[in-house]
Amino acid sequence: AQSVSQHNHHVILSEAASLELGCNYSYGGTVNLFWYVQYPGQHLQLLLKYFSGDPLVKGIKGFEAEFIKSKFSFNLRKPSVQWSDTAEYFCAVNEGNNQGGKLIFGQGTELSVKP
Amino acid sequence: GAVVSQHPSWVICKSGTSVKIECRSLDFQATTMFWYRQFPKQSLMLMATSNEGSKATYEQGVEKDKFLINHASLTLSTLTVTSAHPEDSSFYICSATTGGGYGYTFGSGTRLTVV
């Protein structure tokens, strides 16, 4: 069965610091990969997704992620975080041959950005 | 953009009663809807997948007789928590997709508290 692992439970950064959140998955086949953000009291919003093509994916709000197939990883990055990036971040995976299939989520990473 | 409306946003009920949560896709037809449960500071755990007009597929460990899911139309799915108990208190989130790479749209969630 698929599983998704996010290694960082809680990350605390100062504004303007660079961010990298780890995400690893276990599934041997083709996958689709997603990063979602959940601001306090709000619903999940899609930051970016990877289906195929260029493994470096650009998302909204200056976020990007790189799919490294050999490492089963899809780490999220942002060069310079802002206080408004404070939120919970979730990595998610589904099977690549069924793009409407069920999403499996990682444990989530809480990001706190200090002004 | 795609919008999913989830109602109610919060509900308090007495132990032993049943609660129904609605999930509507407002501007698209959702071939598949998913129901998740999220505990505080934890990830989204998939409970079941429902396709319009067919029985829901439940994840291992989820009691189908306790969490009744109905997906009677392409825009509406309901989750009924039957004979609720305090341990059912949680945050329930629905997600809808049309498949085909369109992606997933999440509802804003329902906070259920059973007293």
Side-chain angles (χ1 to χ4, degrees), chain A residues 43 94 99 101-103 105-106, chain B residues 36 38 41 43 59 101 104 107:
Chain A
H43 61 276
N94 72 4
Q99 293 177 354
K102 60 184 182 182
L103 272 179
F105 283 83
Chain B
Y36 293 86
Q38 185 180 29
K41 301 293 185 182
S43 185
E59 294 298 302
Y104 304 81

Side-chain angles (χ1 to χ4, degrees), chain A residues 9 34 36 38 41-46 49 51 88 90 94 98-108 110, chain B residues 32 34 36 38 41-44 46 49 59 91 93 95 97-109:
Chain A
H9 181 65
F34 304 77
Y36 286 90
Q38 188 176 31
Q42 296 188 28
H43 61 276
L44 283 167
Q45 298 176 36
L46 180 67
K49 59 187 177 184
F51 286 169
E88 188 89 20
F90 294 96
N94 72 4
N98 182 6
Q99 293 177 354
K102 60 184 182 182
L103 272 179
I104 305 300
F105 283 83
Q107 303 93 321
E110 182 181 356
Chain B
T32 306
F34 306 90
Y36 293 86
Q38 185 180 29
K41 301 293 185 182
Q42 294 189 31
S43 185
L44 283 75
L46 181 66
T49 302
E59 294 298 302
F91 194 57
I93 302 173
S95 169
T97 182
T98 60
Y102 183 82
Y104 304 81
T105 303
F106 287 82
S108 53

Side-chain angles (χ1 to χ4, degrees), chain A residues 33-35 46-49 57-59 63-65 74 76:
Chain A
L33 300 150
F34 304 77
W35 273 99
L46 180 67
L47 279 177
L48 47 80
K49 59 187 177 184
V57 181
K58 302 272 186 200
F63 287 91
E64 65 177 32
F74 191 55
L76 180 71

Side-chain angles (χ1 to χ4, degrees), chain B residues 39-67:
Chain B
F39 291 101
K41 301 293 185 182
Q42 294 189 31
S43 185
L44 283 75
M45 301 300 296
L46 181 66
M47 299 174 66
T49 302
S50 75
N51 293 293
E52 184 265 339
S54 60
K55 290 184 178 180
T57 301
Y58 290 80
E59 294 298 302
Q60 193 170 14
V62 178
E63 299 176 61
K64 61 180 181 181
D65 294 330
K66 180 164 189 64
F67 299 99

Side-chain angles (χ1 to χ4, degrees), chain A residues 9-84:
Chain A
H9 181 65
H10 189 189
V11 173
I12 302 173
L13 295 172
S14 298
E15 275 194 315
S18 64
L19 169 73
E20 181 160 1
L21 301 182
C23 173
N24 287 89
Y25 63 93
S26 64
Y27 182 68
T30 304
V31 294
N32 298 317
L33 300 150
F34 304 77
W35 273 99
Y36 286 90
V37 61
Q38 188 176 31
Y39 298 104
Q42 296 188 28
H43 61 276
L44 283 167
Q45 298 176 36
L46 180 67
L47 279 177
L48 47 80
K49 59 187 177 184
Y50 172 79
F51 286 169
S52 63
D54 189 344
L56 183 60
V57 181
K58 302 272 186 200
I60 62 171
K61 305 181 188 233
F63 287 91
E64 65 177 32
E66 184 175 13
F67 171 49
I68 302 179
K69 188 174 181 179
S70 61
K71 294 185 178 180
F72 297 89
S73 70
F74 191 55
N75 292 355
L76 180 71
R77 300 193 292 249
K78 185 170 183 177
S80 176
V81 295
Q82 301 172 315
W83 176 79
S84 57

Side-chain angles (χ1 to χ4, degrees), chain B residues 78-94:
Chain B
T78 60
L79 167 67
T80 301
V81 183
T82 62
S83 186
H85 291 283
E87 57 265 30
D88 299 324
S89 297
S90 190
F91 194 57
Y92 293 88
I93 302 173
C94 72

